[in-house]
Amino acid sequence: MSDTGTAASPKDRRLSGGLLIGLGYLALAAFVGTGALAIGLTPTYSRVGPGVFPAAVAAGLAAVGVALIVQALMGRWETEWDRADPRDAATRRRGRAALAWVAVGLVLDLLLLDAAGFVIASAAMFVCTAQAFGSSNLVRNTVLGLALGGAIFIVFAYALQVRLPAGWLWTFF
Amino acid sequence: MDTFAALLHGFSVALTPVNLLWALVGVTLGTGVGVLPGIGPSLTIAMLLPTTHRLDPTGAFIMFAGIYYGAMYGSSTTSILMNTPGESSSVVTALEGNRMARNGRGSAALATAAIGSFVAGTLATAGLAFFAPVVVEFALTFGPAEYFALMLVAFAAVSAVLGSSLTRGLASLFLGLTLGLIGIDMQTGQARLTLGLPELLDGIEVVVAAVGLFAVGETLYLAYMSAGAPADIIPIKGRVWMTRDEWRRSWKPWLRGTVIGFPFGAMPAGGAEIPTFLSYAVERKLSRHAEQFGTGAIEGVAGPEAANNAAVTGVLVPLLTLGLPTSATAAIMLAAFQQYGLNPGPLLFEKSTDLVWGLIASLYVGNIMLLLLNLPLAGLWVRLLAIPAPLLYAGILVFASLGIYSLHGSLFDVIVLYVIGVIGFVMRCADIPIAPAIIGLILGPQAEQQLRRALAISQGDVSVFLTRPLSATLVAIAVAMLLLPLAWRWYERRRDARLAAAA
């Protein structure tokens, strides 16, 4: 993804999309491959050791990586970021902002789940995701998020006997 | 025990009040979640899987069968009324059914989809009941070499068939195989790709990957595309039913769709996409209203919907008899079996008679329930479509995280879920299909086990895969599946070049 937001030409953007994924596959192949070599390919007491299959997967990853790079360079593979975007810069910025909101929601969920409990963590994620999709009615979304989280908490606690983290909200009850 | 007696026994299991209740819960949940736009059957099952893990296996699988079929019914409703196919096998239904809905024939489209699914589901379940024991007999003779070759076929098929490009299909498959490597090697105890994290020693669960790729990835994608505004919902008028003429035009496509769909699903090359397109093409050819195709022909909904349902039932044949999932949904079902320590395969039919035949019988039960649930109550389900997108996707993320957290009560699982979600977002943007990754993740470790077992038996002689006739045939099929599209493209390019030269 290009961070500059300037209108790069379609060809440049292609370099940043498919090519990056192809290179990512090569990196992954190297990582899996070195892991396999570290384990060793020579058989121990079993005929085929635990390194052989990872080595085969690494070879596959590398082949796929090369094929993806070729396709990206030849322009036969267009990712979402490479499309000659008919949307103006403002829409693209909005898309990135929305993405950021969802990300904030996910991180908040992780941070709050154990600390503040399931209900509050879910409500925080709910509000952020709704925000990302263009609903900025903060009060209503908070109430809905708390209600949804609370309902799930109760169903799981009493019907399924699964204890979700209660957090400090529940200490009041 | 012959098939008929086994099936009767299955009904005695499925028709107990508590199991009927689980079936009803399953079909209701399945329809309700399946109807939500953007949630296809595989995500429905993945999200609901964690809620079942407290039940006894038979009850859980009866509920699962309900969810499986319910999700299909629900998804076709969404396809018809909103033109948002939740899965690629509903693309045709969305195409033709949405046109019908626009022409004010939405009720008829819903009716022919529901009744067609019922007819196809019922007939295909019969096919499953009588065909599965035959495959089981056959499968008992399989050795590790045959199983490994069979998995190669499945790998080749899902990479070549699902999605728009073989390279990207393979990219997805190998990503799944890599994820499958993570954890402790079952034979030697060697830790692999764990990055030194003790939490990764147990590997990455299929459910976590499926929910991450489908739910989290899709939510990120839709947010990025600013696709918040839902497609317009076409209201249905009157009762969901058909006129006499529509019945006349529907019943043959239902039967033809079933006949096309079931074998495709039952073959280990599987998938429900090809039969739906095939059925569409056949109906278009045979219809006396060919001109209506593309503008809302009822045959174009009836046939593909039947083919879809027959194929997804057929997929249960390789899943139950060989432990071989050939669709994302089936891969998640396999994960569900593994959650209970059950390994689908020929032995499952001998060891868990109650479960297998109870499951098959409850497919009939679920189909009847779904027909009753969908025809009179369609209007009720349609209201779910009116949930605004911001609240819908916020709710999906909450449920996805909840489901994964409640698996083991581990925050680490949720972190993995989100990381995989980001990968899913990249894949979605790059037009890389997701199903091959899920199948690679679940089948990869098994393929490795079979490979090593086969080579242990043959004392390390790799030719074992080519000297056993069945295994050699399967390997040849797998290779052909990968090479034929390439050869075809090469031929086309040469032909085009020749034509260009001649012109």
Side-chain angles (χ1 to χ4, degrees):
Chain A
M1 194 175 0
S2 135
D3 285 325
T4 53
T6 53
S9 78
K11 201 164 164 61
D12 294 339
R13 307 195 111 239
R14 180 168 301 135
L15 287 177
S16 58
L19 193 65
L20 275 181
I21 295 177
L23 290 174
Y25 265 86
L26 288 186
L28 190 61
F31 175 67
V32 177
T34 44
L37 289 178
I39 294 168
L41 298 181
T42 45
T44 45
Y45 55 92
S46 60
R47 286 275 160 195
V48 182
V52 174
F53 199 72
V57 172
L61 285 170
V64 166
V66 170
L68 288 178
I69 288 173
V70 169
Q71 290 205 346
L73 289 178
M74 286 172 67
R76 290 225 305 266
W77 175 32
E78 230 186 15
T79 67
E80 207 58 68
W81 309 293
D82 309 328
R83 296 225 162 90
D85 202 340
R87 305 182 299 167
D88 55 330
T91 323
R92 225 173 299 144
R93 227 176 3 251
R94 211 159 45 230
R96 276 201 292 273
L99 210 53
W101 269 114
V102 181
V104 168
L106 298 182
V107 171
L108 275 182
D109 187 54
L110 287 176
L111 292 179
L112 292 176
L113 200 53
D114 277 341
F118 173 78
V119 179
I120 289 178
S122 296
M125 183 163 64
F126 190 92
V127 172
C128 289
T129 316
Q131 181 79 38
F133 281 86
S135 162
S136 47
N137 190 338
L138 210 61
V139 177
R140 185 198 62 175
N141 290 347
T142 310
V143 170
L144 280 175
L146 287 173
L148 180 69
I152 292 172
F153 186 89
I154 289 166
V155 167
F156 267 67
Y158 295 103
L160 299 167
Q161 265 116 51
V162 175
R163 210 59 200 149
L164 296 165
W168 41 261
L169 185 71
W170 241 243
T171 55
F172 295 121
F173 292 87
Chain B
M1 192 156 45
D2 71 332
T3 301
F4 196 66
L7 195 57
L8 275 184
H9 175 69
F11 273 108
S12 75
V13 174
L15 292 178
T16 56
V18 62
N19 284 341
L20 278 175
L21 182 70
W22 288 130
L24 185 64
V25 171
V27 293
T28 313
L29 277 176
T31 314
V33 180
V35 128
L36 297 173
I39 305 191
S42 28
L43 180 57
T44 307
I45 294 183
M47 290 218 296
L48 293 175
L49 177 63
T51 60
T52 62
H53 75 153
R54 295 271 160 151
L55 306 177
D56 80 290
T58 307
F61 276 95
I62 284 174
M63 181 168 154
F64 247 79
I67 295 173
Y68 190 59
Y69 271 169
M72 303 298 162
Y73 276 73
S75 292
S76 66
T77 304
T78 321
S79 306
I80 289 168
L81 297 179
M82 286 182 81
N83 198 11
T84 50
E87 215 141 271
S88 48
S89 53
S90 322
V91 168
V92 186
T93 310
L95 187 84
E96 209 61 35
N98 192 252
R99 286 289 156 71
M100 280 185 76
R102 279 180 199 285
N103 299 340
R105 298 298 309 141
S107 337
L110 288 179
T112 199
I115 302 170
S117 298
F118 170 76
V119 171
T122 307
L123 290 176
T125 307
L128 166 68
F130 288 92
F131 193 52
V134 181
V135 181
V136 164
E137 282 297 306
F138 191 50
L140 284 171
T141 65
F142 283 14
E146 280 77 17
Y147 273 111
F148 179 70
L150 208 53
M151 286 170 191
L152 286 186
V153 173
F155 287 152
V158 294
S159 312
V161 169
L162 304 172
S164 49
S165 126
L166 177 63
T167 316
R168 269 166 273 155
L170 286 172
S172 176
L173 173 72
F174 275 100
L175 182 74
L177 291 175
T178 309
L179 291 177
L181 287 175
I182 296 175
I184 283 193
D185 170 43
M186 282 182 275
Q187 279 184 17
T188 58
Q190 170 78 49
R192 297 191 298 200
L193 303 185
T194 56
L195 308 168
L197 296 169
E199 291 91 344
L200 281 178
L201 287 175
D202 285 335
I204 288 180
E205 283 189 58
V206 176
V207 184
V208 180
V211 175
L213 292 174
F214 282 119
V216 183
E218 182 75 9
T219 306
L220 286 166
Y221 176 75
L222 290 177
Y224 176 64
M225 296 301 285
S226 311
D232 45 334
I233 308 158
I234 301 155
I236 46 168
K237 297 178 201 85
R239 255 171 12 117
V240 174
W241 200 240
M242 296 189 288
T243 63
R244 178 191 284 271
D245 183 50
E246 284 159 345
W247 274 97
R248 202 176 43 74
R249 286 175 63 181
S250 288
W251 71 271
K252 278 187 205 154
W254 292 338
L255 295 181
R256 280 194 292 261
T258 308
V259 171
I260 294 171
F262 182 74
F264 263 94
M267 280 191 297
E273 290 79 14
I274 298 178
T276 54
F277 285 104
L278 209 60
S279 162
Y280 186 74
V282 167
E283 295 312 328
R284 184 185 202 144
K285 198 142 219 152
L286 293 176
S287 171
R288 275 183 292 164
H289 307 274
E291 77 288 348
Q292 286 182 9
F293 274 75
T295 60
I298 195 164
E299 294 93 337
V301 180
E305 263 306 286
N308 183 13
N309 250 51
V312 300
T313 310
V315 163
L316 294 177
V317 174
L319 178 69
L320 291 175
T321 59
L322 300 167
L324 199 71
T326 51
S327 69
T329 320
I332 294 159
M333 291 280 273
L334 180 59
F337 275 102
Q338 290 175 348
Q339 177 178 297
Y340 286 100
L342 297 164
N343 284 313
L347 293 179
L348 186 73
F349 276 74
E350 287 176 7
K351 277 196 278 187
S352 313
T353 323
D354 273 17
L355 187 139
V356 172
W357 290 101
L359 174 70
I360 293 176
S362 66
L363 291 175
Y364 285 107
V365 177
N367 252 314
I368 294 170
M369 284 181 176
L370 278 165
L371 197 63
L372 298 178
L373 212 58
N374 272 271
L375 288 181
L377 298 181
L380 203 66
W381 296 121
V382 170
R383 293 225 191 111
L384 285 175
L385 296 178
I387 298 176
L391 305 184
L392 175 67
Y393 288 102
I396 288 176
L397 275 194
V398 168
F399 270 102
S401 314
L402 157 80
I404 297 311
Y405 183 83
S406 67
L407 275 179
H408 306 294
S410 134
L411 199 60
F412 187 81
D413 282 349
V414 185
I415 297 175
V416 173
L417 172 76
Y418 294 162
V419 171
I420 292 181
V422 172
I423 297 176
F425 166 69
V426 173
M427 290 170 76
R428 188 73 166 74
C429 287
D431 201 11
I432 297 174
I434 282 166
I438 292 173
I439 289 169
L441 169 58
I442 195 160
L443 273 190
Q446 296 188 34
E448 181 182 9
Q449 293 301 313
Q450 301 292 0
L451 172 74
R452 285 158 78 172
R453 227 173 271 162
L455 289 177
I457 294 171
S458 76
Q459 316 228 319
D461 180 7
V462 188
S463 71
V464 63
F465 299 107
L466 301 176
T467 48
R468 295 176 63 121
L470 184 59
S471 151
T473 315
L474 290 169
V475 170
I477 291 174
V479 172
M481 275 180 170
L482 293 180
L483 291 186
L484 278 183
L486 290 179
W488 177 247
R489 207 149 20 128
W490 179 76
Y491 167 78
E492 272 189 330
R493 217 173 294 158
R494 258 183 54 134
R495 188 191 56 192
D496 292 348
R498 250 206 326 271
L499 287 177

